[in-house]
Amino acid sequence: MSEETRLKIVREALAGMKVGVFVRMYDVHPESIRLWVRDHRDSIPPEEIPMTDEHLQELQRLQQVEERYEKAVKVLGEKELEIEILRELLKKKNPAYPKHSK
């Protein structure tokens, strides 16, 4: 990864973006990002740190979409499990009654 990209990540991290966003965007270990921030935070002038702008808002929106996606995947998995249980019950004869009841 180029030094320019690292500095861009550091600037955006100093602006308040979460490390997890960079991990997903750049496939970088979170500890590497924290190390870059520690190493460069004093060398970046405040005027180079971006304000909350459309780019940061878009990344926050992306994070919300990812959270909703994870929730939807979980719900889908639960529904698939319910369907599989119902299919197994349909295969049995009289599933709601013990075998020797009258």
Side-chain angles (χ1 to χ4, degrees):
M1 180 172 297
S2 72
E3 185 67 18
E4 184 177 319
T5 304
R6 288 181 188 166
L7 289 174
K8 177 182 179 222
I9 292 171
V10 169
R11 285 185 199 101
E12 291 179 351
L14 291 173
M17 283 183 48
K18 294 184 179 182
V19 171
V21 172
F22 301 118
V23 170
R24 288 187 294 278
M25 282 178 57
Y26 297 100
D27 194 29
V28 179
H29 193 277
E31 206 45 50
S32 296
I33 296 169
R34 290 184 188 100
L35 179 65
W36 299 340
V37 170
R38 280 194 299 271
D39 290 347
H40 297 289
R41 84 173 128 221
D42 295 331
S43 64
I44 296 179
E47 61 272 7
E48 288 187 18
I49 298 173
M51 295 297 192
T52 304
D53 59 1
E54 291 177 14
H55 178 67
L56 294 176
Q57 291 173 355
E58 179 62 21
L59 290 173
Q60 290 171 346
R61 189 192 69 76
L62 174 64
Q63 187 174 6
Q64 292 171 346
V65 168
E66 288 176 347
E67 289 169 1
R68 288 195 307 257
Y69 172 80
E70 292 299 323
K71 184 178 178 182
V73 167
K74 181 180 175 189
V75 169
L76 179 62
E78 291 170 355
K79 294 301 177 189
E80 287 176 347
L81 180 60
E82 288 176 15
I83 290 170
E84 186 61 33
I85 290 170
L86 291 172
R87 284 183 180 149
E88 289 298 318
L89 286 173
L90 285 174
K91 290 178 185 178
K92 296 180 179 181
K93 291 183 179 180
N94 300 322
Y97 304 103
K99 287 184 178 182
H100 301 294
S101 68
K102 292 185 180 180

